[in-house]
Structure formats: C-alpha cells, structure tokens
C-alpha cells in the first residue's frame, strides 16, 4: 500500500475573525512537494483543521522551516487563539465491498 506523509494543524480562531484568517491562510505560491490539501471547519466557524499531503517528510519539513511559512504564520497570528499540529505517516484503509 502507498504510504502518505500528512501534516495536520488545528487552530481555534478568535471570534468574528474567520474571514480575515482565511485570507491569510492560503500560501501563494503552493509549496513544493505539496500534493493535496483539505480544510475542515467546525459548525460554529471557531475551529479549523488543515490536512495536507506531501511527497516526503523532507519537503514538508523544508516548507515548515521556510521564510514563506514564517510569513504566513505571522499573517495568521492575529486571528488564532490556539494551535496544535502534528506530522504523520500512514496509508489509506481498504473499505470492504458489500
């Protein structure tokens, strides 16, 4: 099975800051090695979980330590009340056919 490299970040957003946070969140240009990215919002819009898939741990680490990522985090900081993140390796689970 194909192995995936995944960076997951969950942020609690300050009240009434979601729109401004979203403007600061999206990196431009897209990082090298980034394969896919997803965002999931809580119903109240106060928590966002970002899930990004990378071609390797090295490309993810290179982005995380880059000046562009530091600038992006600084732009998001005024809108973030709390942040948690982690890097994971895994694979897709096969779902049995019915």
């Amino acid at each position: 099975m194909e192995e995936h490299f995944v960076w997951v970040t969950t942020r609690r957003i300050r009240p009434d800051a979601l729109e401004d946070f979203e403007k600061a969140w999206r990196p431009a240009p897209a990082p090298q090695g980034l394969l896919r990215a997803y965002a999931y919002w809580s119903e109240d819009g106060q928590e966002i979980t970002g899930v990004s898939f990378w071609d390797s741990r090295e490309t993810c680490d290179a982005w995380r330590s880059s000046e562009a990522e530091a600038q992006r985090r600084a732009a998001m900081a005024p809108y973030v009340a709390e942040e948690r993140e982690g890097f994971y390796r895994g694979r897709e689970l096969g779902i049995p056919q019915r």
Side-chain angles (χ1 to χ4, degrees):
M1 295 202 149
E2 181 181 353
E3 186 171 50
H4 298 276
F5 302 93
V6 182
W7 179 21
V8 179
T9 306
T10 301
R11 294 177 176 95
R12 180 149 299 278
I13 306 303
R14 297 188 189 286
D16 301 317
L18 181 59
E19 186 176 326
D20 292 324
F21 172 80
E22 287 179 318
K23 290 175 187 173
W25 189 22
R26 192 176 299 262
Q32 182 177 349
L34 177 64
L35 302 174
R36 291 183 301 282
Y38 300 89
Y40 303 96
W41 290 264
S42 62
E43 285 196 36
D44 65 3
Q46 296 297 293
E47 189 170 276
I48 298 175
T49 297
V51 180
S52 56
F53 291 81
W54 297 81
D55 62 6
S56 70
R57 178 171 194 125
E58 292 76 22
T59 56
C60 182
D61 286 347
W63 168 253
R64 291 170 67 187
S65 64
S66 72
E67 181 60 29
E69 173 62 354
Q71 291 174 2
R72 187 178 79 97
R73 285 179 178 266
M76 290 186 293
Y79 315 112
V80 176
E82 179 185 345
E83 180 176 320
R84 297 178 317 277
E85 66 177 62
F87 185 84
Y88 305 90
R89 291 177 11 179
R91 61 184 172 270
E92 184 176 355
L93 299 177
I95 299 175
Q97 298 291 330
R98 291 184 183 223

